Amino acid sequence: LRALSVHHQLDADAVLVDTRPEKKFNEEHVPGSFAVPFSNNMAVWTGWVVPWGQPLILLPENAAQHDEMVRQLIRIGFDRINGYLADGTEGWKSAGLTVEATEHLDLERLKVVQDLPAALMIIDVRQRSEFHSGHIEGALNIELGELQDHLDGLPRELPLVIVCAAGMRATIAASILQRDGRSNVQVVDEGGTPAWIELGYPSATGE
């Protein structure tokens, strides 16, 4: 599908699912798109975060993934797949449409920022059991699958830093927050809580 056709469909009821690797998504993406990096579990994450029954437009890293994606999605009941964004974000930009980025934060920088008096909120989107076994001191746990139910309760005035175990779930979560109109979202898309603990930075266990 050409970019302007996709733009028109997104204005109606379609949803763009960007399946490129998390770093590429965070560098630039179509505003309002969901990040769901391609993997064997792509359909599971899609089912968790994408509104049920809406038509999907996919943005894969390469065409070789098309069949596997469609197979996975149909298996969980997403059978309204309208097509693929031709030429990806390059095609989108060359049609004169704007892209956005997600600000990236590495663990060393997060440690510096966390030590400053200015307030920020760290949200760890791993499963509860993972969180209890060790997390960044002061982090709030909201499992990725539950994030959309908690959007109203999250402050809009505080910068949000999203973290998981390795960066994929954090990127999916940040895309949900950006879709919610939040601009002060930063994502740790490389490493995550286990690496933070390994570095000896302040951590806690339990609730």
Side-chain angles (χ1 to χ4, degrees), residues 22 26 37 45 48 105-107 110 121-128 130-131 133-136 139-145 147 161-174 186-198:
E22 44 267 39
N26 291 328
W45 299 117
W48 273 25
L105 198 63
D106 61 33
L107 294 172
L110 176 56
M121 183 179 271
I122 300 170
I123 300 174
D124 186 329
V125 295
R126 296 175 303 152
Q127 303 283 24
R128 240 168 237 104
E130 293 175 272
F131 183 81
S133 66
H135 54 263
I136 297 171
L140 171 72
N141 181 217
I142 302 175
E143 290 188 13
L144 175 58
L147 179 61
V161 176
I162 318 302
V163 66
C164 64
M168 188 185 85
R169 285 175 285 178
T171 297
I172 298 174
Q186 294 172 300
V187 63
V188 178
D189 63 3
E190 189 174 6
T193 300
W196 172 278
I197 293 168
E198 213 167 279

Side-chain angles (χ1 to χ4, degrees), residues 44-122:
V44 175
W45 299 117
T46 305
W48 273 25
V49 301
V50 175
W52 195 256
Q54 277 178 277
L56 305 183
I57 296 168
L58 302 175
L59 169 44
E61 185 171 33
N62 60 63
Q65 297 168 345
H66 286 187
D67 291 351
E68 172 59 20
M69 278 179 195
V70 171
R71 240 195 319 275
Q72 281 196 40
L73 290 166
I74 285 174
R75 203 178 299 143
I76 65 158
F78 277 99
D79 51 7
R80 298 178 69 195
I81 298 164
N82 287 10
Y84 307 90
L85 172 56
D87 304 322
T89 50
E90 290 309 314
W92 184 263
K93 288 188 294 187
S94 60
L97 300 166
T98 57
V99 293
E100 65 180 14
T102 311
E103 200 178 331
H104 155 86
L105 198 63
D106 61 33
L107 294 172
E108 290 74 15
R109 180 78 192 129
L110 176 56
K111 171 74 170 67
V112 171
V113 174
Q114 200 190 22
D115 288 341
L116 298 173
L120 60 85
M121 183 179 271
I122 300 170

Side-chain angles (χ1 to χ4, degrees), residues 147-195:
L147 179 61
Q148 303 200 74
D149 300 333
H150 290 279
L151 291 175
D152 290 348
L154 290 174
R156 289 192 175 269
E157 66 284 357
L158 282 184
L160 304 178
V161 176
I162 318 302
V163 66
C164 64
M168 188 185 85
R169 285 175 285 178
T171 297
I172 298 174
S175 73
I176 291 170
L177 289 160
Q178 280 188 299
R179 268 180 64 86
D180 190 45
R182 297 163 186 272
S183 54
N184 54 353
V185 175
Q186 294 172 300
V187 63
V188 178
D189 63 3
E190 189 174 6
T193 300

